[in-house]
Coordinates of all heavy atoms in Angstrom, one line a residue:
I202 N -66.2 106.0 112.1 CA -66.5 105.1 113.2 C -65.5 105.4 114.4 O -64.4 105.0 114.3 CB -66.5 103.7 112.9 CG1 -67.4 103.4 111.7 CG2 -66.9 102.8 114.0 CD1 -67.5 102.0 111.2
A203 N -66.0 106.2 115.3 CA -65.0 106.7 116.4 C -64.5 105.5 117.3 O -63.4 105.5 117.7 CB -65.7 107.7 117.2
D204 N -65.4 104.5 117.5 CA -65.0 103.4 118.4 C -64.3 102.4 117.6 O -64.9 101.8 116.7 CB -66.2 102.8 119.1 CG -65.8 101.7 120.0 OD1 -65.2 101.9 121.0 OD2 -66.2 100.5 119.7
M205 N -63.0 102.1 117.9 CA -62.2 101.2 117.1 C -62.7 99.7 117.2 O -62.7 99.0 116.2 CB -60.7 101.3 117.5 CG -59.8 100.4 116.6 SD -60.0 100.7 114.8 CE -59.4 102.4 114.7
Q206 N -63.2 99.3 118.3 CA -63.8 98.0 118.4 C -65.0 97.8 117.5 O -65.1 96.8 116.9 CB -64.2 97.7 119.9 CG -64.7 96.2 120.1 CD -63.6 95.2 119.8 OE1 -62.6 95.1 120.5 NE2 -63.8 94.4 118.8
T207 N -65.8 98.8 117.4 CA -66.9 98.8 116.5 C -66.4 98.7 115.1 O -67.0 97.9 114.2 CB -67.8 100.0 116.7 OG1 -68.2 100.1 118.0 CG2 -69.0 100.0 115.7
A208 N -65.4 99.4 114.7 CA -64.8 99.4 113.4 C -64.3 98.0 113.1 O -64.4 97.4 112.0 CB -63.7 100.4 113.2
I209 N -63.6 97.4 114.1 CA -63.0 96.1 113.9 C -64.1 95.0 113.6 O -64.1 94.2 112.7 CB -62.2 95.6 115.1 CG1 -61.0 96.5 115.3 CG2 -61.8 94.2 115.1 CD1 -59.9 96.3 114.3
N210 N -65.2 95.1 114.4 CA -66.3 94.2 114.2 C -67.0 94.4 112.8 O -67.4 93.4 112.2 CB -67.4 94.5 115.3 CG -66.9 94.1 116.7 OD1 -66.0 93.3 116.8 ND2 -67.5 94.6 117.7
A211 N -67.0 95.6 112.4 CA -67.6 95.9 111.0 C -66.7 95.3 109.9 O -67.2 94.8 108.9 CB -67.8 97.4 110.8
L212 N -65.4 95.4 110.1 CA -64.5 94.8 109.1 C -64.7 93.3 109.1 O -64.7 92.6 108.0 CB -63.1 95.2 109.4 CG -62.0 94.7 108.5 CD1 -62.2 95.3 107.1 CD2 -60.6 94.9 109.0
I213 N -64.7 92.7 110.3 CA -64.8 91.2 110.3 C -66.1 90.7 109.7 O -66.2 89.7 109.0 CB -64.7 90.7 111.8 CG1 -63.3 91.0 112.3 CG2 -65.1 89.3 112.0 CD1 -63.1 90.7 113.8
S214 N -67.2 91.5 109.9 CA -68.5 91.1 109.4 C -68.7 91.4 107.9 O -69.7 91.0 107.3 CB -69.6 91.8 110.2 OG -69.6 93.2 110.0
G215 N -67.8 92.2 107.4 CA -67.9 92.6 106.0 C -68.7 93.8 105.7 O -68.9 94.2 104.5
E216 N -69.1 94.5 106.8 CA -69.8 95.8 106.6 C -68.9 96.9 106.0 O -69.4 97.8 105.3 CB -70.4 96.2 107.9 CG -71.5 95.3 108.5 CD -71.9 95.7 109.8 OE1 -72.5 96.8 110.0 OE2 -71.6 95.0 110.8
I217 N -67.6 96.8 106.3 CA -66.7 97.7 105.7 C -65.6 96.9 105.1 O -65.4 95.7 105.4 CB -66.1 98.7 106.7 CG1 -65.3 98.0 107.8 CG2 -67.2 99.6 107.3 CD1 -64.6 98.9 108.8
D218 N -64.7 97.5 104.2 CA -63.7 96.7 103.5 C -62.3 97.0 104.0 O -61.4 96.1 103.7 CB -63.8 97.1 102.0 CG -65.1 97.0 101.4 OD1 -65.6 95.8 101.4 OD2 -65.8 98.0 101.0
M219 N -62.1 98.1 104.7 CA -60.7 98.4 105.1 C -60.7 99.3 106.3 O -61.6 100.2 106.4 CB -60.0 99.1 103.9 CG -58.6 99.5 104.1 SD -57.9 100.4 102.7 CE -58.2 99.3 101.3
I220 N -59.7 99.2 107.1 CA -59.4 100.2 108.2 C -58.0 100.7 107.9 O -57.0 99.9 107.9 CB -59.5 99.5 109.6 CG1 -60.9 99.0 109.8 CG2 -59.1 100.6 110.7 CD1 -61.1 98.3 111.2
E221 N -57.9 102.0 107.7 CA -56.5 102.5 107.4 C -55.6 102.4 108.5 O -54.4 102.0 108.3 CB -56.7 104.0 107.0 CG -55.4 104.6 106.6 CD -55.4 106.1 106.6 OE1 -56.3 106.8 107.2 OE2 -54.5 106.7 105.9
A222 N -56.0 102.6 109.8 CA -55.1 102.6 110.9 C -55.7 101.9 112.1 O -56.1 102.6 113.1 CB -54.7 104.1 111.2
P223 N -55.8 100.6 112.1 CA -56.4 99.9 113.2 C -55.5 100.1 114.5 O -54.3 100.2 114.4 CB -56.5 98.5 112.8 CG -55.4 98.3 111.7 CD -55.4 99.7 111.0
S224 N -56.1 100.0 115.6 CA -55.4 100.1 116.9 C -54.4 98.9 117.0 O -54.8 97.8 116.7 CB -56.3 100.1 118.1 OG -57.2 101.2 118.1
H225 N -53.2 99.2 117.4 CA -52.2 98.2 117.5 C -52.6 97.1 118.5 O -52.3 95.9 118.3 CB -50.8 98.8 117.9 CG -50.2 99.6 116.8 ND1 -50.6 100.8 116.5 CD2 -49.2 99.3 115.9 CE1 -49.8 101.3 115.5 NE2 -49.0 100.4 115.1
D226 N -53.3 97.5 119.5 CA -53.7 96.5 120.6 C -54.8 95.5 120.1 O -55.0 94.5 120.7 CB -54.1 97.2 121.9 CG -55.3 98.1 121.7 OD1 -55.5 98.6 120.6 OD2 -56.0 98.2 122.7
L227 N -55.5 95.9 119.0 CA -56.5 95.0 118.5 C -56.1 94.2 117.3 O -56.8 93.4 116.7 CB -57.7 95.9 118.1 CG -58.5 96.5 119.3 CD1 -59.6 97.4 118.8 CD2 -59.0 95.5 120.2
L228 N -54.8 94.4 116.8 CA -54.3 93.6 115.7 C -54.4 92.1 115.9 O -54.7 91.4 115.0 CB -52.9 94.1 115.3 CG -52.8 95.5 114.7 CD1 -51.3 95.9 114.5 CD2 -53.5 95.5 113.3
P229 N -54.1 91.6 117.1 CA -54.2 90.2 117.3 C -55.6 89.6 117.0 O -55.7 88.5 116.5 CB -53.8 90.0 118.8 CG -52.9 91.1 119.1 CD -53.5 92.3 118.3
V230 N -56.6 90.4 117.2 CA -58.0 89.9 116.9 C -58.1 89.7 115.4 O -58.6 88.7 114.9 CB -59.0 90.9 117.4 CG1 -60.4 90.5 117.0 CG2 -58.9 91.1 118.9
L231 N -57.6 90.7 114.6 CA -57.7 90.7 113.2 C -56.8 89.6 112.6 O -57.1 88.9 111.6 CB -57.3 92.0 112.6 CG -58.3 93.2 112.9 CD1 -57.7 94.5 112.5 CD2 -59.6 92.9 112.3
E232 N -55.6 89.4 113.2 CA -54.7 88.4 112.7 C -55.3 86.9 112.8 O -54.8 86.1 112.0 CB -53.4 88.4 113.5 CG -52.6 89.7 113.2 CD -51.4 89.9 114.2 OE1 -51.4 89.2 115.2 OE2 -50.6 90.7 113.9
K233 N -56.2 86.7 113.6 CA -56.8 85.4 113.7 C -58.0 85.1 112.7 O -58.4 84.0 112.6 CB -57.4 85.2 115.2 CG -56.4 85.2 116.3 CD -57.0 85.2 117.6 CE -56.0 85.2 118.8 NZ -56.6 85.2 120.1
D234 N -58.4 86.2 112.0 CA -59.5 86.0 111.1 C -58.9 85.7 109.7 O -58.2 86.5 109.1 CB -60.3 87.3 111.0 CG -61.7 87.1 110.3 OD1 -61.6 86.7 109.2 OD2 -62.7 87.4 111.0
R235 N -59.3 84.6 109.1 CA -58.8 84.2 107.8 C -59.2 85.1 106.7 O -58.6 85.0 105.6 CB -59.2 82.7 107.5 CG -60.7 82.5 107.3 CD -61.1 81.1 107.0 NE -60.7 80.2 108.2 CZ -60.8 78.9 108.1 NH1 -61.2 78.3 107.0 NH2 -60.5 78.1 109.2
D236 N -60.3 85.9 106.9 CA -60.7 86.7 105.8 C -60.1 88.1 105.8 O -60.4 89.0 105.0 CB -62.3 86.9 105.8 CG -63.0 85.6 105.6 OD1 -62.5 84.8 104.7 OD2 -64.0 85.3 106.3
I237 N -59.2 88.4 106.8 CA -58.6 89.7 107.0 C -57.1 89.6 106.7 O -56.5 88.6 107.1 CB -58.8 90.2 108.4 CG1 -60.3 90.2 108.8 CG2 -58.2 91.6 108.6 CD1 -61.2 91.1 107.9
E238 N -56.6 90.6 106.0 CA -55.2 90.7 105.7 C -54.6 91.9 106.3 O -55.2 93.0 106.3 CB -55.0 90.7 104.2 CG -53.6 90.7 103.7 CD -53.4 90.7 102.2 OE1 -54.4 91.1 101.6 OE2 -52.4 90.3 101.7
I239 N -53.4 91.8 107.0 CA -52.7 92.9 107.6 C -51.6 93.2 106.7 O -50.7 92.4 106.4 CB -52.2 92.5 109.0 CG1 -53.4 92.0 109.9 CG2 -51.5 93.8 109.7 CD1 -54.4 93.1 110.2
V240 N -51.5 94.5 106.3 CA -50.4 94.9 105.4 C -49.8 96.2 106.0 O -50.4 96.9 106.7 CB -50.8 95.2 104.0 CG1 -51.3 93.9 103.3 CG2 -51.9 96.2 103.9
I241 N -48.5 96.4 105.7 CA -47.8 97.6 106.2 C -47.3 98.4 104.9 O -46.3 98.0 104.3 CB -46.6 97.3 107.1 CG1 -47.1 96.5 108.3 CG2 -45.8 98.6 107.5 CD1 -46.0 96.1 109.2
P242 N -48.1 99.3 104.5 CA -47.8 100.0 103.2 C -46.6 101.0 103.3 O -46.0 101.3 102.3 CB -49.1 100.8 102.9 CG -49.8 101.0 104.2 CD -49.4 99.8 105.0
D243 N -46.2 101.4 104.5 CA -45.1 102.3 104.7 C -44.2 101.7 105.8 O -44.4 101.8 107.0 CB -45.6 103.7 105.2 CG -44.5 104.7 105.4 OD1 -43.3 104.4 105.0 OD2 -44.7 105.8 106.0
T244 N -43.1 101.0 105.3 CA -42.3 100.2 106.2 C -41.3 101.1 107.0 O -40.8 100.6 108.0 CB -41.5 99.2 105.4 OG1 -40.7 99.9 104.3 CG2 -42.4 98.1 104.7
L245 N -41.0 102.3 106.5 CA -40.1 103.2 107.3 C -40.9 103.7 108.5 O -40.4 103.9 109.6 CB -39.6 104.3 106.5 CG -38.4 105.1 107.1 CD1 -37.3 104.2 107.4 CD2 -38.0 106.2 106.1
G246 N -42.2 103.9 108.3 CA -43.1 104.3 109.4 C -43.2 105.8 109.7 O -42.9 106.6 108.9
N247 N -43.6 106.0 111.0 CA -43.9 107.4 111.4 C -43.1 107.7 112.7 O -42.7 106.8 113.4 CB -45.4 107.5 111.7 CG -46.2 107.2 110.5 OD1 -46.5 108.0 109.6 ND2 -46.7 105.9 110.5
T248 N -43.0 109.0 112.9 CA -42.3 109.5 114.1 C -43.3 110.4 114.9 O -44.0 111.2 114.4 CB -41.1 110.3 113.8 OG1 -40.1 109.5 113.1 CG2 -40.4 110.9 115.1
Y249 N -43.4 110.1 116.2 CA -44.2 111.0 117.1 C -43.4 112.3 117.4 O -42.2 112.2 117.6 CB -44.5 110.3 118.4 CG -45.6 109.3 118.3 CD1 -45.4 107.9 118.8 CD2 -46.8 109.6 117.8 CE1 -46.4 107.0 118.7 CE2 -47.8 108.6 117.7 CZ -47.6 107.3 118.2 OH -48.6 106.4 118.1

């Protein structure tokens, strides 16, 4: 799903179960949904 907003909507509606790398600017939308959980599997992170 190339468009991240579409992917976010699909997660919220239950059409998909997980987004591996949601856009950081859309995380506040997901944080407000009681059915969605935000986890950080790699706490050291990545380097550009």
Side-chain angles (χ1 to χ4, degrees):
I202 302 179
D204 180 69
M205 185 53 66
Q206 183 62 65
T207 302
I209 295 289
N210 293 340
L212 183 65
I213 291 173
S214 67
E216 296 173 66
I217 62 173
D218 304 297
M219 182 187 300
I220 301 177
E221 182 194 21
S224 300
H225 288 77
D226 62 331
L227 293 175
L228 288 174
V230 176
L231 294 171
E232 290 169 346
K233 295 176 183 178
D234 194 302
R235 67 179 63 186
D236 295 321
I237 305 299
E238 183 178 19
I239 306 296
V240 295
I241 299 177
D243 181 8
T244 55
L245 194 57
N247 304 277
T248 297
Y249 284 126

